[in-house]
Amino acid sequence: MKRIAESTVRRLSIYLSFLEDIGARGALTTSSDDLARLGGTTSAQVRKDLSFFGSFGKRGLGYSVPELSSRLREILGLERQWRVCIVGAGKIGSALARYAGFAERGFMVSGVYDSDPGKIGKQWGGVTVLDIADLERDIVARQYHIAVLAVPAEEAQVLVDRMVKAGIKAILSFAPTQITVPADVTLRTVNMAMELEGLTFALTNRGADR
Amino acid sequence: MKRIAESTVRRLSIYLSFLEDIGARGALTTSSDDLARLGGTTSAQVRKDLSFFGSFGKRGLGYSVPELSSRLREILGLERQWRVCIVGAGKIGSALARYAGFAERGFMVSGVYDSDPGKIGKQWGGVTVLDIADLERDIVARQYHIAVLAVPAEEAQVLVDRMVKAGIKAILSFAPTQITVPADVTLRTVNMAMELEGLTFALTNRGADR
DNA sequence: GCTAGCTTGTGAATTAAATCACAAGTTAGA
DNA sequence: TCTAACTTGTGATTTAATTCACAAGCTAGC
């Protein structure tokens, strides 16, 4: 398979979310044009994105909503359960641990880790806070697929290195810092400061460039 | 000015964060190569990114850390204070309202809004929860620059439309849905589900494409 | 003042992503 | 069965982003 651009994968997520939405409302078929309008792109882009994975529509008719949903879920790897651990039980970790959206989408949060003895052992949204010292052991023993990192910038890289060494292959980081991982590990970073700076840049330079 | 790519702006944020880091550790000069290594890119990319805004280095010597920091802060619009409101006082809104990182970076959270009468009036990390019915009035009266949206998917677009009508020009959305705004409004979206799906896609298709 | 060693800034070349545009299917209706 | 109206899938084209590669500028040491 050809390398798929991250932007394409992001759009697949958007398409799926719409398909599920209109599917729940009873729609049986849809078109690349519908998906484009709702997803803020063009119909050619939609068809090109899908074409990387196969041919899911019927010319003249469009796409079957349940079928395309199902294919996209397959492509995105959502037809199975994924074990997730949350590393860091601060404000963000806490909010994430209590976030119901995880379970709904097949992500099982099966461990929250922190180093604060005052937190270890506490129950948090159905999950017990565990000792971060056991992180490597648990990555192996519990076979976590995804680690969600919610720790201060200073601790982030060290923890990532530990997790990578223990075999984790996918990390979602909320730490406000740049992290590096080996090529066989996938890292996505959500950095509030960076997003806000994108906005202030636009507010500051608006008009100058468009 | 030529239109600047979002990817460039993101990298500027990264460069700035490193400059502040090494500046605090006493470094006086740095090079495009240093910035590239730390930011996971190439030195040519760093120089090209900066070249859109001017010429900040000295050939043979590199960049002055304090000077480049300052110029980047200027470019990103960080040399001033920005008034931020948080819309939605649920789990995420709560975590954001209490997040200290805002103030540190010049973002003043001066209002949190919700429709739940049980929450309105409560004090939250130094900010009172206000009635979301007053949102439009306050966008005008308090001159919010940025709205951070942390509400369920169903309410997101309606609230955005209301805010846009009232004159808001920058929105950071944490709502798990696609939102559309007019061209003169800047929107950044952080969508947990999409990030996780990016990871599961990689986990599922790993090896096939690299 | 001259040379050697660096590092920037930037056109040119390359690579990647998005858009265009149209042949090829599909359906419905006469 | 034939035609009109659609909509997909995909090469070809265009646009955007990244990388290359090197002249030009700066510093330190002699």
Side-chain angles (χ1 to χ4, degrees), chain A residues 137-190:
Chain A
R137 187 198 65 194
D138 285 3
I139 286 173
V140 176
R142 298 180 169 209
Q143 293 279 302
Y144 292 128
H145 300 110
I146 298 171
V148 176
L149 190 67
V151 302
E154 312 78 66
E155 301 168 25
Q157 184 68 60
V158 173
L159 278 167
V160 164
D161 291 345
R162 281 175 53 185
M163 293 194 286
V164 166
K165 210 164 188 175
I168 202 86
K169 295 294 180 207
I171 298 171
L172 175 55
S173 168
F174 287 85
T177 181
Q178 189 73 1
I179 291 169
T180 57
V181 292
D184 67 327
V185 177
T186 306
L187 171 72
R188 289 256 192 153
T189 300
V190 172

Tab-separated table of all heavy atoms in Angstrom, chain A residues 137-190:
chain	number	residue	atom	x	y	z
A	137	ARG	N	6.216	-2.502	33.382
A	137	ARG	CA	5.718	-3.851	33.643
A	137	ARG	C	4.323	-4.027	33.061
A	137	ARG	O	4.033	-5.013	32.368
A	137	ARG	CB	5.674	-4.090	35.164
A	137	ARG	CG	5.337	-5.509	35.560
A	137	ARG	CD	4.872	-5.574	37.004
A	137	ARG	NE	3.615	-4.847	37.188
A	137	ARG	CZ	3.119	-4.501	38.372
A	137	ARG	NH1	3.775	-4.761	39.489
A	137	ARG	NH2	1.964	-3.856	38.442
A	138	ASP	N	3.455	-3.035	33.277
A	138	ASP	CA	2.072	-3.154	32.830
A	138	ASP	C	1.929	-3.058	31.307
A	138	ASP	O	1.034	-3.668	30.726
A	138	ASP	CB	1.202	-2.088	33.498
A	138	ASP	CG	0.908	-2.436	34.950
A	138	ASP	OD1	1.430	-3.467	35.419
A	138	ASP	OD2	0.165	-1.692	35.609
A	139	ILE	N	2.811	-2.267	30.675
A	139	ILE	CA	2.741	-2.190	29.215
A	139	ILE	C	2.939	-3.594	28.641
A	139	ILE	O	2.265	-3.991	27.688
A	139	ILE	CB	3.797	-1.213	28.661
A	139	ILE	CG1	3.351	0.225	28.939
A	139	ILE	CG2	4.007	-1.428	27.166
A	139	ILE	CD1	4.383	1.279	28.593
A	140	VAL	N	3.833	-4.335	29.253
A	140	VAL	CA	4.069	-5.713	28.816
A	140	VAL	C	2.936	-6.618	29.290
A	140	VAL	O	2.304	-7.320	28.496
A	140	VAL	CB	5.417	-6.236	29.355
A	140	VAL	CG1	5.605	-7.693	28.987
A	140	VAL	CG2	6.561	-5.378	28.826
A	141	ALA	N	2.641	-6.564	30.578
A	141	ALA	CA	1.684	-7.507	31.163
A	141	ALA	C	0.262	-7.270	30.664
A	141	ALA	O	-0.464	-8.217	30.361
A	141	ALA	CB	1.722	-7.406	32.685
A	142	ARG	N	-0.133	-6.002	30.571
A	142	ARG	CA	-1.517	-5.709	30.200
A	142	ARG	C	-1.662	-5.399	28.718
A	142	ARG	O	-2.768	-5.118	28.241
A	142	ARG	CB	-2.020	-4.504	30.997
A	142	ARG	CG	-2.029	-4.725	32.502
A	142	ARG	CD	-2.555	-3.472	33.170
A	142	ARG	NE	-2.832	-3.704	34.579
A	142	ARG	CZ	-3.762	-3.052	35.266
A	142	ARG	NH1	-4.512	-2.151	34.654
A	142	ARG	NH2	-3.949	-3.288	36.536
A	143	GLN	N	-0.536	-5.376	28.032
A	143	GLN	CA	-0.573	-5.173	26.575
A	143	GLN	C	-1.372	-3.951	26.166
A	143	GLN	O	-2.287	-4.043	25.337
A	143	GLN	CB	-1.165	-6.422	25.903
A	143	GLN	CG	-0.279	-7.634	26.040
A	143	GLN	CD	0.849	-7.629	25.016
A	143	GLN	OE1	0.611	-7.588	23.820
A	143	GLN	NE2	2.087	-7.630	25.476
A	144	TYR	N	-1.025	-2.826	26.723
A	144	TYR	CA	-1.665	-1.582	26.297
A	144	TYR	C	-1.310	-1.326	24.835
A	144	TYR	O	-0.168	-1.506	24.430
A	144	TYR	CB	-1.170	-0.404	27.134
A	144	TYR	CG	-1.610	-0.431	28.569
A	144	TYR	CD1	-0.688	-0.293	29.595
A	144	TYR	CD2	-2.949	-0.555	28.916
A	144	TYR	CE1	-1.077	-0.291	30.921
A	144	TYR	CE2	-3.354	-0.560	30.238
A	144	TYR	CZ	-2.418	-0.427	31.239
A	144	TYR	OH	-2.811	-0.431	32.544
A	145	HIS	N	-2.290	-0.881	24.079
A	145	HIS	CA	-2.012	-0.520	22.688
A	145	HIS	C	-1.635	0.938	22.546
A	145	HIS	O	-0.841	1.319	21.702
A	145	HIS	CB	-3.243	-0.782	21.807
A	145	HIS	CG	-3.685	-2.206	21.812
A	145	HIS	ND1	-4.855	-2.633	22.411
A	145	HIS	CD2	-3.106	-3.310	21.304
A	145	HIS	CE1	-4.978	-3.937	22.258
A	145	HIS	NE2	-3.937	-4.382	21.586
A	146	ILE	N	-2.282	1.769	23.359
A	146	ILE	CA	-2.138	3.218	23.232
A	146	ILE	C	-1.905	3.832	24.608
A	146	ILE	O	-2.596	3.485	25.567
A	146	ILE	CB	-3.421	3.839	22.625
A	146	ILE	CG1	-3.657	3.287	21.212
A	146	ILE	CG2	-3.351	5.369	22.606
A	146	ILE	CD1	-5.003	3.658	20.620
A	147	ALA	N	-0.929	4.739	24.673
A	147	ALA	CA	-0.705	5.480	25.916
A	147	ALA	C	-1.097	6.936	25.684
A	147	ALA	O	-0.686	7.541	24.694
A	147	ALA	CB	0.750	5.391	26.334
A	148	VAL	N	-1.906	7.466	26.582
A	148	VAL	CA	-2.269	8.880	26.511
A	148	VAL	C	-1.454	9.593	27.576
A	148	VAL	O	-1.562	9.287	28.769
A	148	VAL	CB	-3.776	9.085	26.753
A	148	VAL	CG1	-4.112	10.575	26.766
A	148	VAL	CG2	-4.582	8.368	25.683
A	149	LEU	N	-0.633	10.520	27.139
A	149	LEU	CA	0.321	11.168	28.032
A	149	LEU	C	-0.206	12.520	28.476
A	149	LEU	O	-0.471	13.391	27.646
A	149	LEU	CB	1.648	11.335	27.288
A	149	LEU	CG	2.847	11.783	28.097
A	149	LEU	CD1	3.249	10.700	29.088
A	149	LEU	CD2	4.009	12.106	27.173
A	150	ALA	N	-0.352	12.698	29.782
A	150	ALA	CA	-0.870	13.964	30.311
A	150	ALA	C	-0.032	14.359	31.517
A	150	ALA	O	-0.514	14.365	32.647
A	150	ALA	CB	-2.346	13.814	30.682
A	151	VAL	N	1.229	14.651	31.249
A	151	VAL	CA	2.163	15.011	32.328
A	151	VAL	C	2.836	16.342	31.969
A	151	VAL	O	2.755	16.792	30.825
A	151	VAL	CB	3.239	13.921	32.515
A	151	VAL	CG1	2.604	12.579	32.834
A	151	VAL	CG2	4.122	13.813	31.275
A	152	PRO	N	3.513	16.976	32.947
A	152	PRO	CA	4.201	18.238	32.639
A	152	PRO	C	5.293	18.034	31.589
A	152	PRO	O	5.823	16.922	31.443
A	152	PRO	CB	4.824	18.636	33.989
A	152	PRO	CG	4.026	17.909	35.018
A	152	PRO	CD	3.607	16.628	34.373
A	153	ALA	N	5.627	19.123	30.912
A	153	ALA	CA	6.606	19.087	29.825
A	153	ALA	C	7.919	18.408	30.243
A	153	ALA	O	8.476	17.606	29.485
A	153	ALA	CB	6.884	20.510	29.342
A	154	GLU	N	8.383	18.692	31.451
A	154	GLU	CA	9.690	18.192	31.887
A	154	GLU	C	9.747	16.671	31.935
A	154	GLU	O	10.799	16.078	31.712
A	154	GLU	CB	10.052	18.723	33.289
A	154	GLU	CG	9.871	20.213	33.488
A	154	GLU	CD	8.418	20.596	33.707
A	154	GLU	OE1	7.841	20.207	34.728
A	154	GLU	OE2	7.857	21.276	32.801
A	155	GLU	N	8.609	16.046	32.274
A	155	GLU	CA	8.625	14.593	32.462
A	155	GLU	C	8.306	13.830	31.181
A	155	GLU	O	8.508	12.614	31.107
A	155	GLU	CB	7.591	14.196	33.536
A	155	GLU	CG	7.844	14.857	34.873
A	155	GLU	CD	6.657	14.678	35.832
A	155	GLU	OE1	5.900	13.700	35.646
A	155	GLU	OE2	6.502	15.516	36.740
A	156	ALA	N	7.802	14.541	30.177
A	156	ALA	CA	7.221	13.872	29.015
A	156	ALA	C	8.213	12.970	28.269
A	156	ALA	O	7.958	11.772	28.081
A	156	ALA	CB	6.629	14.909	28.063
A	157	GLN	N	9.348	13.529	27.847
A	157	GLN	CA	10.264	12.743	27.019
A	157	GLN	C	10.791	11.514	27.762
A	157	GLN	O	10.903	10.432	27.185
A	157	GLN	CB	11.424	13.612	26.537
A	157	GLN	CG	12.382	12.898	25.594
A	157	GLN	CD	11.739	12.569	24.244
A	157	GLN	OE1	11.297	13.459	23.529
A	157	GLN	NE2	11.667	11.291	23.909
A	158	VAL	N	11.104	11.687	29.045
A	158	VAL	CA	11.616	10.563	29.828
A	158	VAL	C	10.586	9.436	29.881
A	158	VAL	O	10.915	8.258	29.677
A	158	VAL	CB	11.963	11.022	31.265
A	158	VAL	CG1	12.330	9.831	32.132
A	158	VAL	CG2	13.098	12.042	31.245
A	159	LEU	N	9.344	9.809	30.132
A	159	LEU	CA	8.292	8.797	30.205
A	159	LEU	C	8.076	8.129	28.852
A	159	LEU	O	7.879	6.915	28.768
A	159	LEU	CB	6.992	9.429	30.702
A	159	LEU	CG	6.926	9.568	32.217
A	159	LEU	CD1	5.775	10.484	32.629
A	159	LEU	CD2	6.754	8.179	32.849
A	160	VAL	N	8.120	8.936	27.788
A	160	VAL	CA	7.949	8.364	26.453
A	160	VAL	C	9.065	7.358	26.175
A	160	VAL	O	8.806	6.252	25.690
A	160	VAL	CB	7.922	9.475	25.384
A	160	VAL	CG1	8.132	8.901	23.998
A	160	VAL	CG2	6.610	10.234	25.457
A	161	ASP	N	10.283	7.713	26.514
A	161	ASP	CA	11.401	6.799	26.292
A	161	ASP	C	11.177	5.488	27.047
A	161	ASP	O	11.415	4.401	26.519
A	161	ASP	CB	12.713	7.448	26.739
A	161	ASP	CG	13.111	8.615	25.831
A	161	ASP	OD1	12.535	8.723	24.726
A	161	ASP	OD2	13.975	9.409	26.221
A	162	ARG	N	10.715	5.610	28.272
A	162	ARG	CA	10.450	4.403	29.074
A	162	ARG	C	9.375	3.545	28.410
A	162	ARG	O	9.507	2.322	28.293
A	162	ARG	CB	9.973	4.802	30.474
A	162	ARG	CG	11.105	5.218	31.414
A	162	ARG	CD	10.570	5.721	32.754
A	162	ARG	NE	9.656	4.778	33.395
A	162	ARG	CZ	8.985	5.042	34.518
A	162	ARG	NH1	9.110	6.228	35.106
A	162	ARG	NH2	8.186	4.142	35.046
A	163	MET	N	8.326	4.198	27.957
A	163	MET	CA	7.210	3.451	27.355
A	163	MET	C	7.623	2.795	26.040
A	163	MET	O	7.244	1.668	25.754
A	163	MET	CB	6.015	4.383	27.149
A	163	MET	CG	5.410	4.859	28.453
A	163	MET	SD	3.774	5.616	28.234
A	163	MET	CE	4.213	7.167	27.511
A	164	VAL	N	8.395	3.553	25.262
A	164	VAL	CA	8.846	3.011	23.976
A	164	VAL	C	9.724	1.783	24.212
A	164	VAL	O	9.583	0.767	23.539
A	164	VAL	CB	9.604	4.089	23.183
A	164	VAL	CG1	10.369	3.479	22.018
A	164	VAL	CG2	8.632	5.152	22.674
A	165	LYS	N	10.594	1.890	25.182
A	165	LYS	CA	11.481	0.779	25.521
A	165	LYS	C	10.660	-0.451	25.914
A	165	LYS	O	11.024	-1.585	25.595
A	165	LYS	CB	12.402	1.189	26.677
A	165	LYS	CG	13.747	0.511	26.665
A	165	LYS	CD	14.709	1.256	27.571
A	165	LYS	CE	16.131	0.730	27.438
A	165	LYS	NZ	17.075	1.549	28.238
A	166	ALA	N	9.535	-0.190	26.597
A	166	ALA	CA	8.689	-1.298	27.041
A	166	ALA	C	7.829	-1.847	25.905
A	166	ALA	O	7.152	-2.854	26.060
A	166	ALA	CB	7.808	-0.849	28.209
A	167	GLY	N	7.848	-1.162	24.756
A	167	GLY	CA	7.165	-1.727	23.596
A	167	GLY	C	5.912	-1.026	23.119
A	167	GLY	O	5.235	-1.512	22.206
A	168	ILE	N	5.582	0.116	23.689
A	168	ILE	CA	4.371	0.810	23.236
A	168	ILE	C	4.600	1.311	21.811
A	168	ILE	O	5.718	1.680	21.445
A	168	ILE	CB	4.021	1.997	24.175
A	168	ILE	CG1	2.552	2.364	24.062
A	168	ILE	CG2	4.854	3.228	23.875
A	168	ILE	CD1	1.640	1.574	24.953
A	169	LYS	N	3.543	1.302	20.988
A	169	LYS	CA	3.702	1.698	19.585
A	169	LYS	C	2.854	2.897	19.189
A	169	LYS	O	2.918	3.352	18.038
A	169	LYS	CB	3.329	0.516	18.673
A	169	LYS	CG	4.267	-0.674	18.804
A	169	LYS	CD	5.661	-0.356	18.307
A	169	LYS	CE	6.594	-1.562	18.442
A	169	LYS	NZ	8.003	-1.150	18.579
A	170	ALA	N	2.027	3.383	20.112
A	170	ALA	CA	1.176	4.535	19.777
A	170	ALA	C	0.984	5.399	21.008
A	170	ALA	O	0.625	4.896	22.077
A	170	ALA	CB	-0.178	4.053	19.253
A	171	ILE	N	1.236	6.685	20.853
A	171	ILE	CA	1.153	7.622	21.978
A	171	ILE	C	0.393	8.870	21.551
A	171	ILE	O	0.643	9.432	20.488
A	171	ILE	CB	2.566	8.030	22.456
A	171	ILE	CG1	3.334	6.803	22.959
A	171	ILE	CG2	2.481	9.096	23.552
A	171	ILE	CD1	4.801	7.060	23.242
A	172	LEU	N	-0.535	9.267	22.401
A	172	LEU	CA	-1.233	10.545	22.212
A	172	LEU	C	-0.796	11.450	23.341
A	172	LEU	O	-1.090	11.186	24.507
A	172	LEU	CB	-2.750	10.321	22.238
A	172	LEU	CG	-3.642	11.572	22.183
A	172	LEU	CD1	-3.320	12.437	20.984
A	172	LEU	CD2	-5.107	11.159	22.156
A	173	SER	N	-0.066	12.502	22.990
A	173	SER	CA	0.513	13.357	24.032
A	173	SER	C	-0.222	14.678	24.175
A	173	SER	O	-0.503	15.351	23.192
A	173	SER	CB	1.984	13.630	23.726
A	173	SER	OG	2.460	14.661	24.568
A	174	PHE	N	-0.505	15.035	25.416
A	174	PHE	CA	-1.068	16.346	25.728
A	174	PHE	C	-0.031	17.203	26.423
A	174	PHE	O	-0.346	18.280	26.914
A	174	PHE	CB	-2.307	16.181	26.620
A	174	PHE	CG	-3.502	15.656	25.894
A	174	PHE	CD1	-3.687	14.286	25.721
A	174	PHE	CD2	-4.442	16.519	25.355
A	174	PHE	CE1	-4.788	13.799	25.036
A	174	PHE	CE2	-5.538	16.041	24.668
A	174	PHE	CZ	-5.718	14.678	24.504
A	175	ALA	N	1.197	16.709	26.491
A	175	ALA	CA	2.258	17.466	27.163
A	175	ALA	C	2.670	18.644	26.286
A	175	ALA	O	2.828	18.490	25.080
A	175	ALA	CB	3.450	16.554	27.430
A	176	PRO	N	2.838	19.821	26.891
A	176	PRO	CA	3.131	21.012	26.091
A	176	PRO	C	4.599	21.097	25.704
A	176	PRO	O	5.291	22.043	26.039
A	176	PRO	CB	2.733	22.158	27.025
A	176	PRO	CG	2.902	21.615	28.397
A	176	PRO	CD	2.675	20.126	28.314
A	177	THR	N	5.060	20.097	24.979
A	177	THR	CA	6.447	20.071	24.545
A	177	THR	C	6.587	19.146	23.352
A	177	THR	O	5.730	18.296	23.119
A	177	THR	CB	7.375	19.598	25.689
A	177	THR	OG1	8.715	19.609	25.248
A	177	THR	CG2	7.013	18.198	26.128
A	178	GLN	N	7.676	19.342	22.623
A	178	GLN	CA	7.955	18.496	21.466
A	178	GLN	C	8.581	17.190	21.957
A	178	GLN	O	9.467	17.211	22.794
A	178	GLN	CB	8.926	19.225	20.528
A	178	GLN	CG	9.142	18.567	19.196
A	178	GLN	CD	7.932	18.731	18.281
A	178	GLN	OE1	6.942	19.358	18.657
A	178	GLN	NE2	8.031	18.175	17.098
A	179	ILE	N	8.121	16.082	21.421
A	179	ILE	CA	8.631	14.781	21.846
A	179	ILE	C	9.130	14.056	20.615
A	179	ILE	O	8.564	14.200	19.536
A	179	ILE	CB	7.511	13.970	22.529
A	179	ILE	CG1	7.157	14.604	23.869
A	179	ILE	CG2	7.906	12.518	22.721
A	179	ILE	CD1	5.903	14.052	24.476
A	180	THR	N	10.193	13.267	20.763
A	180	THR	CA	10.647	12.471	19.617
A	180	THR	C	10.520	10.989	19.941
A	180	THR	O	10.732	10.565	21.072
A	180	THR	CB	12.105	12.784	19.237
A	180	THR	OG1	12.933	12.561	20.375
A	180	THR	CG2	12.265	14.223	18.799
A	181	VAL	N	10.143	10.234	18.924
A	181	VAL	CA	9.988	8.786	19.065
A	181	VAL	C	10.637	8.118	17.858
A	181	VAL	O	10.806	8.747	16.819
A	181	VAL	CB	8.502	8.372	19.127
A	181	VAL	CG1	7.842	8.858	20.398
A	181	VAL	CG2	7.749	8.868	17.914
A	182	PRO	N	10.993	6.836	17.976
A	182	PRO	CA	11.533	6.108	16.821
A	182	PRO	C	10.478	6.006	15.720
A	182	PRO	O	9.288	6.206	15.982
A	182	PRO	CB	11.844	4.716	17.386
A	182	PRO	CG	11.828	4.859	18.864
A	182	PRO	CD	10.914	5.992	19.178
A	183	ALA	N	10.932	5.689	14.517
A	183	ALA	CA	10.040	5.686	13.352
A	183	ALA	C	8.916	4.659	13.471
A	183	ALA	O	7.853	4.833	12.868
A	183	ALA	CB	10.849	5.426	12.087
A	184	ASP	N	9.111	3.612	14.230
A	184	ASP	CA	8.067	2.576	14.310
A	184	ASP	C	7.036	2.871	15.398
A	184	ASP	O	6.151	2.065	15.655
A	184	ASP	CB	8.709	1.196	14.532
A	184	ASP	CG	9.372	1.098	15.885
A	184	ASP	OD1	9.895	2.125	16.368
A	184	ASP	OD2	9.372	-0.001	16.467
A	185	VAL	N	7.150	4.016	16.026
A	185	VAL	CA	6.173	4.422	17.039
A	185	VAL	C	5.404	5.621	16.485
A	185	VAL	O	5.994	6.537	15.922
A	185	VAL	CB	6.860	4.808	18.362
A	185	VAL	CG1	5.836	5.293	19.376
A	185	VAL	CG2	7.655	3.629	18.911
A	186	THR	N	4.081	5.590	16.607
A	186	THR	CA	3.266	6.693	16.118
A	186	THR	C	2.942	7.635	17.264
A	186	THR	O	2.496	7.193	18.319
A	186	THR	CB	1.959	6.162	15.504
A	186	THR	OG1	2.285	5.183	14.521
A	186	THR	CG2	1.190	7.288	14.843
A	187	LEU	N	3.194	8.890	17.022
A	187	LEU	CA	2.939	9.907	18.048
A	187	LEU	C	2.038	10.990	17.496
A	187	LEU	O	2.256	11.491	16.399
A	187	LEU	CB	4.269	10.543	18.483
A	187	LEU	CG	4.180	11.772	19.388
A	187	LEU	CD1	3.749	11.381	20.790
A	187	LEU	CD2	5.514	12.511	19.430
A	188	ARG	N	0.996	11.315	18.256
A	188	ARG	CA	0.178	12.480	17.916
A	188	ARG	C	0.232	13.399	19.118
A	188	ARG	O	0.150	12.943	20.254
A	188	ARG	CB	-1.281	12.061	17.678
A	188	ARG	CG	-1.474	11.288	16.409
A	188	ARG	CD	-2.108	12.175	15.355
A	188	ARG	NE	-2.553	11.375	14.230
A	188	ARG	CZ	-3.559	11.721	13.427
A	188	ARG	NH1	-4.232	12.842	13.653
A	188	ARG	NH2	-3.888	10.975	12.426
A	189	THR	N	0.381	14.668	18.839
A	189	THR	CA	0.501	15.626	19.930
A	189	THR	C	-0.621	16.642	19.871
A	189	THR	O	-0.926	17.170	18.809
A	189	THR	CB	1.860	16.340	19.846
A	189	THR	OG1	2.898	15.372	19.943
A	189	THR	CG2	2.011	17.339	20.973
A	190	VAL	N	-1.228	16.882	21.011
A	190	VAL	CA	-2.217	17.940	21.144
A	190	VAL	C	-1.605	18.964	22.068
A	190	VAL	O	-1.342	18.686	23.228
A	190	VAL	CB	-3.542	17.411	21.736
A	190	VAL	CG1	-4.479	18.578	22.041
A	190	VAL	CG2	-4.191	16.423	20.789
